[in-house]
């Protein structure tokens, strides 16, 4: 797994991408690969890997793939399509995303279906151009689980070598406690280079320690 991820990182050139409702231009593509590692008392370490890709099939249709695996114990893989809903100029924009895929826990696997409504807005600050996106998702897993998600992403893009990025994810299933994870990160890049590394930390409600995340993004 580590050899595969290392090879993938070397293959990708990267630059920051806008999340949420922003669609890809026709025939352009974006990829992202990441590894998050946690210290684990039983195994020495625990990790999860993720791979994300999206492609502008048309100017008004973006297709994509989303994969996440947690140390071969559980994970998911989905394909999705994103469509624009409304552009409000300086007030932001909305988009809808529909996905279908599969998730597994140990040897059990089930289908999943998801629908997302996204809102995003760009803004300007004295430290550079920024963006914020809010994603609300209903995810139905066919072993009788309906999960409601609310995610927030915010970041800055400037001519500096280092810019901030914040991701907050929440999920709720009836009868369970609220699940959350927070990832403060920095995007490190030479302003004249197409490559961006994302380095950060992750805290979530399932652990009492902090994970370290390394990611690389590619735009083609």
């Amino acid at each position: 797994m580590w050899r595969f991820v290392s090879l993938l990182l070397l293959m990708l050139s990267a630059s920051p991408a806008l999340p949420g409702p922003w669609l890809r231009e026709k025939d352009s593509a974006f990829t992202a690969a990441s590894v998050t590692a946690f210290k684990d008392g039983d195994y020495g370490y625990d990790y999860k890997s993720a791979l994300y890709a999206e492609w502008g099939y048309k100017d008004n249709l973006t297709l994509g793939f989303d994969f996440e695996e947690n140390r071969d114990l559980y994970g998911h893989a989905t394909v999705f399509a994103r469509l624009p809903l409304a552009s409000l100029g300086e007030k932001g924009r909305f988009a809808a995303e529909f996905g279908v895929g599969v998730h597994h826990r140990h040897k059990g696997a089930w289908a999943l279906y998801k629908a997302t409504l996204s809102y995003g807005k760009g803004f300007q600050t004295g430290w550079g151009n920024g963006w914020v996106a809010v994603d609300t998702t209903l995810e139905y897993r066919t072993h009788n689980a309906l999960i409601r998600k609310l995610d927030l992403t915010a970041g800055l893009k400037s001519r500096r070598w280092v810019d901030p990025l914040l991701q907050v994810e929440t999920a709720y299933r009836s009868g369970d406690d609220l699940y959350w994870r927070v990832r403060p990160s920095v995007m490190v890049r030479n302003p004249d280079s197409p490559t961006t590394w994302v380095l950060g930390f992750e805290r979530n409600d399932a652990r009492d320690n902090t994970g370290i995340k390394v990611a690389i993004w590619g735009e083609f």
Side-chain angles (χ1 to χ4, degrees):
M1 175 63 72
W2 286 104
R3 182 176 298 177
F4 166 75
V5 172
S6 298
L7 177 62
L8 184 62
L9 294 180
L10 291 174
M11 293 171 61
L12 297 176
S13 62
S15 62
L18 295 175
W22 287 275
L23 275 70
R24 291 283 142 193
E25 294 182 357
K26 186 178 184 299
D27 295 329
S28 67
F30 171 77
T31 58
S34 68
V35 174
T36 306
F38 296 87
K39 186 176 180 181
D40 189 291
D42 296 328
Y43 299 96
Y45 70 93
D46 195 3
Y47 72 92
K48 61 182 177 181
S49 56
L51 176 63
Y52 176 91
E54 60 181 36
W55 170 57
Y57 178 68
K58 296 181 178 180
D59 287 333
N60 62 351
L61 176 60
T62 294
L63 305 178
F65 171 81
D66 177 26
F67 166 87
E68 184 177 295
E69 184 66 22
N70 292 259
R71 212 185 62 202
D72 302 324
L73 299 177
Y74 60 94
H76 70 263
T78 61
V79 293
F80 63 83
R82 187 183 307 133
L83 302 166
L85 291 181
S87 178
L88 307 178
E90 295 182 355
K91 295 182 180 180
R93 63 178 61 200
F94 289 90
E97 187 174 292
F98 303 94
V100 59
V102 62
H103 71 100
H104 82 93
R105 182 173 293 274
H106 301 290
K107 295 183 180 180
W110 303 269
L112 70 84
Y113 308 91
K114 60 189 298 185
T116 300
L117 175 64
S118 298
Y119 167 78
K121 183 181 186 301
F123 57 89
Q124 293 183 340
T125 74
W127 299 278
N129 296 328
W131 79 88
V132 60
V134 179
D135 302 314
T136 58
T137 302
L138 288 178
E139 182 176 306
Y140 174 63
R141 302 187 175 188
T142 52
H143 63 301
N144 298 323
L146 178 63
I147 301 175
R148 303 165 180 85
K149 298 182 178 181
L150 178 63
D151 303 333
L152 169 71
T153 303
L156 288 178
K157 180 181 179 182
S158 72
R159 295 288 297 174
R160 293 186 299 268
W161 279 62
V162 178
D163 280 314
L165 176 69
L166 176 65
Q167 296 167 297
V168 180
E169 300 177 0
T170 64
Y172 175 73
R173 182 172 60 182
S174 181
D176 292 343
D177 294 331
L178 178 71
Y179 172 81
W180 59 265
R181 58 184 176 186
V182 178
R183 290 193 295 265
S185 306
V186 292
M187 298 174 289
V188 182
R189 65 185 178 276
N190 181 334
D192 298 318
S193 170
T195 300
T196 298
W197 290 88
V198 182
L199 310 174
F201 300 96
E202 178 176 316
R203 291 286 295 186
N204 61 57
D205 68 325
R207 296 179 177 275
D208 57 6
N209 59 355
T210 300
I212 298 175
K213 179 178 180 178
V214 179
I216 189 170
W217 297 346
E219 195 169 29
F220 309 93

